[in-house]
Amino acid sequence: MMNNPESIDQEKLKQILLAMILEERKNNRNEEFTDVQMVDRLLKILEELL
Amino acid sequence: MIIREITLQNFRQYKNVTLDLRCQEGKNVIIVKGEGGAGKTTFTQAFRWCLYGVTTFRDAELLNKDVADTLILGNSTTVSVTMRISTQAMDYALTRSLVYTMKKTGLKANDSSVIEVREESRDRKVLGKHEAELLIRSLLPKQLAPYFFFDGERMQNMVEELLVGKGEDIGNVVRGMVGFSSLESLLRHLKKSRNTTVLKKIEKEIDNCGSAEFGKLSKQIEDDTSKIEDTLEKIDAIENKLERARKEERNLELELSTYQDVEALQQQWEENKNRKEEYERQKEHKQKMYMKNFQSEFSRFTMIPMMMKCKGILREDDLSDKGVPDICNTTLDFLIERDMCLCGKKLSENPDCMAEIKKLYEYVPPKSAGTMIREMIETIETETARKDTFFDNMQEFVDSIDDLSEQADIEEQKNQLIDQNMLKQGDEIKALKQKQLALSDTIKADNMKVKVWSQQLGELRSRNKSNIEEREKLINANAASVRWKRYRAYAEAIYENVLSQYSENEKEQKEIFDGYINEFIYQIYGEEIKIEVSNAYKIKVLNGLELSTSQYYSIVIAFIATTLKMAKERKSSSEGVLDYPEEYPLVMDAPLSAFDKSRIRIICSLLPQIAEQVVIFIKDTDGDLAEQYMYDSIATRYEIVKNFSEGTDSSVKEVR
């Protein structure tokens, strides 16, 4: 499934993963955002951290 | 969550009661004792009503009867329960209230109760309705409320909920409680196959960077990927079906092999039949012999009494001496013709002599009557001497014929049994074989489907692979899509990473759950009841035996203890991808009524160790035991006092 695995920076990956989990955790507690909004927020995390 | 205080206003038999439930270091048990009907259950229901707005009272009316009776027309009053709680993040005061108004038609409650949640911070912010509901859900999901606001009298319902194949699915809730919610939602938001996901959006962006040809290729890849997933699902479903069918086929074979061999039964039947026919032949022979014997002997036998009588008469008459030896009837004829008697007298002149001579005809031969009589007596004696053997012989025949009849009947009965057995077995075997045949046809058809679908899958995959490669080439050649390609690589890597962490953690957590619950059951029940926890966190009793009530109740307590322990462990864990759940209070109504003394002792020592806070409402007798066993852990003791003069106003006093 994965494309160009050699280009993945593992530290960066870990950073994004934790940021995403925190975002999900926050939303699970507050249910502030819908699924569609959450997808945008996760994508934004990806863009910001890459 | 720790409950610091609960206040009931006009709630059932409580007009205004507050319980301080704060715990101290090492003392986390609050005991509230009360006799039957004092209002223990009302109190435990008050906790659930405050959080979720529901109760299980038969009479749904919540307003205190005294207050209701004094309410005048047009006036309103409020029933409320306030819980002051502490969570990891904040202290809150939760108040649920319901307004009652006296109308012309009688007392009417508002349509629904209202929850107000206020932060107990400096600004005392009141949470919105949605926020309040979310907070309560995160504190304790409603599905698990029966286990943490526990009603001992309703233990049976809890058992039903926990068993595999029964009740609601509590798997997601338990998974949430042990920390999986965030991983689950992240997976859902990343996944490629859903419409609105991170990966799907990235793919669309990549498509937007390309030419028309690129878009066509992407569409083809998307369609094929969807077909591949559908086909994989179909194959997966049919493989599962096939596995079940093969298992059933093996069971059928096993079942068929347990039937007695029909050929052996048939052979036994033939042997029995031959024996029966042999007995019947012998019987027929004996019957013929009997008749023959009867015919030959019966006339003689019936004449015996007559012969005996005759012998007696002949002996009595003693006729044998009256004959003249060596004289026969021709001698008498000669004497009459010569007209001279043996004595020399003329017969014609001596009628007496003539009469004597003529009388002699009666005794002289042709055959001498005396000889005949002697011979007859001898014959009679011989014949009468044989009379006993006739009876014996005939009886012997009769016995023998009876015996042979019985033997033939036994063989016949044996065959009747075999007939029945074969008939019954035959029907069953026939049904089983029909089932086997149908199953075999289904398996063949399904195997064929798998073969066809696998072939289609291969073709689809191969086409998709070359399309993906082609698309990758186009992406690489297109500078505009490079950024999105990078995002995709990371998003895919994260998805794989989360999926693998989720699987690993879930397996690990379930194993821990499995281990803990079995350990607790052993600890509580004292014997091993091997149970398995399904993926949906349902309980399956492994030995398949029907469990006793006390065993089932031990499982419920063990389930509660396990969930508490796991939540507690998650809280103390400082890192990792799983969430850190809240701790849960344990509010129990009559929790020990189903257990004997030794188990009460175990449960009493177990609960304070596992739960952060234990509030027990208990009847006096069990309460004394609980007090004794949890002595060191008790923070406060209360007693519910029922006001008998009014009957509608209970109060609670602290016992020191």
Side-chain angles (χ1 to χ4, degrees):
Chain A
M1 189 178 178
M2 202 148 77
N3 300 300
N4 299 331
E6 68 283 359
S7 66
I8 302 285
D9 174 344
Q10 291 303 318
E11 275 306 308
K12 188 68 85 185
L13 187 78
K14 202 174 164 189
Q15 203 183 346
I16 300 169
L17 174 64
L18 285 176
M20 284 181 168
I21 287 176
L22 285 176
E23 189 67 21
E24 290 287 357
R25 200 169 282 167
K26 203 170 117 193
N27 195 50
N28 277 337
R29 189 164 280 275
N30 301 328
E31 257 185 37
E32 205 176 338
F33 305 110
T34 63
D35 276 350
V36 177
Q37 286 170 322
M38 272 308 286
V39 166
D40 286 339
R41 292 184 74 79
L42 294 175
L43 207 49
K44 203 170 167 216
I45 291 174
L46 202 60
E47 282 183 272
E48 278 171 3
L49 292 178
L50 280 177
Chain B
M1 167 177 70
I2 295 293
I3 307 167
R4 286 177 289 125
E5 190 183 277
I6 184 165
T7 301
L8 279 62
Q9 294 265 359
N10 298 334
F11 190 86
R12 309 277 287 194
Q13 61 265 59
Y14 297 97
K15 283 184 186 167
N16 187 358
V17 166
T18 297
L19 278 192
D20 183 349
L21 302 173
R22 282 174 300 180
C23 300
Q24 299 135 30
E25 185 68 34
K27 291 185 181 291
N28 59 344
V29 178
I30 313 285
I31 284 198
V32 186
K33 290 204 289 185
E35 61 188 58
K40 297 188 294 296
T41 305
T42 301
F43 239 114
T44 44
Q45 293 276 332
F47 287 93
R48 286 172 75 174
W49 187 70
C50 181
L51 289 173
Y52 311 107
V54 292
T55 63
T56 54
F57 292 124
R58 277 196 197 101
D59 170 14
E61 217 59 83
L62 296 180
L63 183 62
N64 180 280
K65 285 198 166 45
D66 275 356
V67 177
D69 289 346
T70 53
L71 203 60
I72 55 171
L73 189 65
N75 279 13
S76 295
T77 191
T78 304
V79 173
S80 70
V81 175
T82 300
M83 277 166 66
R84 296 180 66 211
I85 61 165
S86 296
T87 70
Q88 290 173 42
M90 174 79 74
D91 288 352
Y92 296 96
L94 289 75
T95 303
R96 185 172 293 276
S97 54
L98 180 64
V99 175
Y100 279 83
T101 306
M102 184 58 79
K103 297 190 172 173
K104 281 181 185 170
T105 50
L107 192 66
K108 287 278 168 216
N110 277 5
D111 288 343
S112 58
S113 60
V114 176
I115 180 81
E116 184 195 88
V117 178
R118 185 185 292 274
E119 285 180 2
E120 294 201 304
S121 57
R122 195 177 295 166
D123 54 2
R124 299 183 59 77
K125 181 190 157 196
V126 175
L127 271 57
K129 193 185 169 201
H130 180 62
E131 265 182 305
E133 281 169 2
L134 279 172
L135 175 76
I136 291 168
R137 201 193 311 165
S138 70
L139 292 174
L140 182 64
K142 196 175 168 184
Q143 291 97 317
L144 281 177
Y147 300 93
F148 294 93
F149 297 100
F150 172 101
D151 180 351
E153 304 296 328
R154 295 172 65 81
M155 191 99 84
Q156 188 58 40
N157 295 18
M158 290 185 251
V159 172
E160 295 287 314
E161 288 288 318
L162 284 181
L163 292 178
V164 167
K166 296 182 176 179
E168 281 178 40
D169 180 13
I170 56 167
N172 287 336
V173 182
V174 177
R175 266 196 295 275
M177 280 185 69
V178 292
F180 287 101
S181 301
S182 302
L183 282 186
E184 276 180 344
S185 51
L186 183 54
L187 277 175
R188 198 174 73 240
H189 291 140
L190 286 172
K191 208 176 174 185
K192 201 171 185 178
S193 61
R194 288 166 53 91
N195 266 338
T196 318
T197 66
V198 171
L199 276 162
K200 196 79 176 179
K201 270 202 136 178
I202 294 173
E203 291 292 346
K204 273 184 188 157
E205 291 296 339
I206 292 173
D207 286 348
N208 291 340
C209 298
S211 59
E213 189 198 344
F214 188 86
K216 205 175 149 189
L217 206 52
S218 292
K219 179 80 177 64
Q220 181 68 56
I221 291 169
E222 193 180 323
D223 288 350
D224 283 352
T225 307
S226 167
K227 278 183 197 163
I228 287 169
E229 281 183 11
D230 286 350
T231 313
L232 278 171
E233 265 179 36
K234 280 199 294 189
I235 291 176
D236 200 33
I238 212 155
E239 286 286 5
N240 284 338
K241 191 182 156 204
L242 269 167
E243 200 182 316
R244 287 196 299 275
R246 286 191 198 107
K247 197 175 167 190
E248 201 184 337
E249 200 179 36
R250 283 196 295 276
N251 288 342
L252 275 175
E253 272 169 24
L254 208 67
E255 209 176 329
L256 275 166
S257 71
T258 59
Y259 282 93
Q260 209 177 334
D261 191 343
V262 177
E263 280 179 23
L265 277 177
Q266 187 61 46
Q267 195 183 339
Q268 209 178 324
W269 192 91
E270 288 294 336
E271 283 169 11
N272 294 342
K273 183 176 166 255
N274 290 343
R275 268 198 298 274
K276 181 194 158 197
E277 283 173 357
E278 179 56 31
Y279 289 135
E280 279 175 342
R281 267 196 299 277
Q282 286 178 21
K283 180 182 153 189
E284 206 178 320
H285 176 69
K286 288 277 178 189
Q287 279 170 333
K288 277 181 188 165
M289 293 283 289
Y290 175 88
M291 289 310 292
K292 199 175 164 188
N293 199 49
F294 183 79
Q295 280 163 5
S296 64
E297 297 292 315
F298 184 69
S299 53
R300 180 187 63 80
F301 174 70
T302 51
M303 283 173 72
I304 283 171
M306 198 172 71
M307 286 196 284
M308 295 293 281
K309 198 175 175 185
C310 188
K311 191 172 88 173
I313 293 167
L314 291 173
R315 278 197 172 142
E316 268 172 27
D317 289 353
D318 197 20
L319 295 173
S320 56
D321 291 335
K322 291 178 180 172
V324 181
D326 299 330
I327 289 178
C328 66
N329 58 350
T330 49
T331 313
L332 298 178
D333 291 343
F334 170 76
L335 289 176
I336 289 168
E337 201 180 328
R338 175 179 89 164
D339 195 26
M340 187 185 287
C341 181
L342 288 173
C343 63
K345 288 178 183 170
K346 271 190 130 335
L347 289 171
S348 52
E349 291 165 6
N350 290 288
D352 292 341
C353 287
M354 183 56 114
E356 278 298 319
I357 291 290
K358 282 187 177 173
K359 197 178 176 183
L360 275 173
Y361 272 106
E362 286 178 40
Y363 306 109
V364 299
K367 194 173 181 182
S368 157
T371 307
M372 281 169 65
I373 287 163
R374 195 171 53 250
E375 281 175 8
M376 191 167 183
I377 288 171
E378 281 169 9
T379 305
I380 286 170
E381 279 173 349
T382 313
E383 293 300 320
T384 52
R386 282 171 56 201
K387 70 174 179 182
D388 289 337
T389 58
F390 172 76
F391 268 120
D392 291 344
N393 287 345
M394 293 309 279
Q395 190 58 47
E396 210 174 285
F397 275 122
V398 171
D399 289 348
S400 177
I401 288 165
D402 280 352
D403 196 35
L404 288 165
S405 287
E406 204 176 318
Q407 295 290 343
D409 282 349
I410 289 170
E411 298 305 323
E412 175 63 25
Q413 280 166 11
K414 279 187 199 168
N415 275 357
Q416 279 174 5
L417 277 177
I418 291 175
D419 283 345
Q420 283 171 9
N421 200 3
M422 276 170 60
L423 202 67
K424 194 178 157 206
Q425 284 203 19
D427 285 349
E428 283 165 9
I429 290 169
K430 204 173 154 189
L432 285 174
K433 287 203 163 160
Q434 273 174 356
K435 211 169 167 186
Q436 201 177 30
L437 206 66
L439 204 60
S440 159
D441 287 347
T442 313
I443 290 172
K444 267 184 213 159
D446 286 349
N447 272 328
M448 186 54 80
K449 279 183 197 167
V450 172
K451 203 176 160 188
V452 171
W453 289 339
S454 300
Q455 203 178 338
Q456 286 172 357
L457 190 67
E459 286 163 8
L460 279 168
R461 275 177 166 159
S462 153
R463 186 169 69 191
N464 215 30
K465 193 180 167 218
S466 80
N467 282 339
I468 288 169
E469 281 166 5
E470 182 64 25
R471 186 167 173 269
E472 286 307 308
K473 276 183 204 163
L474 290 169
I475 293 169
N476 288 336
N478 185 347
S481 64
V482 170
R483 182 170 66 104
W484 289 107
K485 201 187 156 200
R486 187 155 182 252
Y487 292 171
R488 186 182 64 180
Y490 273 88
E492 282 181 346
I494 287 167
Y495 180 78
E496 294 295 333
N497 192 309
V498 172
L499 190 64
S500 124
Q501 293 212 44
Y502 180 85
S503 312
E504 270 173 38
N505 277 292
E506 207 216 4
K507 192 165 172 268
E508 192 188 342
Q509 293 296 313
K510 209 180 79 59
E511 274 169 14
I512 294 173
F513 194 98
D514 211 331
Y516 281 170
I517 196 165
N518 276 298
E519 210 175 286
F520 280 131
I521 288 171
Y522 184 72
Q523 214 172 325
I524 296 163
Y525 188 68
E527 288 170 31
E528 201 168 335
I529 311 165
K530 188 68 192 148
I531 62 154
E532 191 181 75
V533 180
S534 77
N535 288 337
Y537 285 85
K538 290 274 193 152
I539 306 298
K540 188 180 176 191
V541 181
L542 282 185
N543 58 11
L545 297 175
E546 193 62 35
L547 298 187
S548 68
T549 307
S550 145
Q551 285 170 319
Y552 274 129
Y553 290 0
S554 302
I555 291 177
V556 173
I557 301 280
F559 175 83
I560 295 168
T562 303
T563 320
L564 281 168
K565 188 172 178 178
M566 289 193 71
K568 199 173 184 176
E569 282 178 357
R570 286 297 325 137
K571 191 194 170 193
S572 60
S573 164
S574 58
E575 56 182 33
V577 289
L578 298 185
D579 303 333
Y580 315 129
E582 280 286 342
E583 283 183 330
Y584 303 97
L586 198 50
V587 177
M588 309 181 101
D589 178 20
L592 309 174
S593 52
F595 296 98
D596 56 32
K597 253 188 178 179
S598 64
R599 292 193 179 107
I600 288 178
R601 183 183 200 140
I602 295 162
I603 293 166
C604 286
S605 65
L606 184 72
L607 295 179
Q609 289 173 38
I610 297 160
E612 189 81 351
Q613 180 184 32
V614 185
V615 183
I616 293 186
F617 292 85
I618 198 160
K619 65 180 178 188
D620 292 343
T621 42
D622 285 349
D624 293 343
L625 277 178
E627 231 177 310
Q628 184 189 333
Y629 297 141
M630 293 197 275
Y631 189 81
D632 292 336
S633 308
I634 297 172
T636 320
R637 293 173 182 79
Y638 290 105
E639 194 176 324
I640 300 176
V641 182
K642 192 174 169 183
N643 188 338
F644 285 99
S645 60
E646 294 175 31
T648 51
D649 186 13
S650 291
S651 57
V652 180
K653 67 168 187 186
E654 190 176 342
V655 182
R656 293 190 184 271

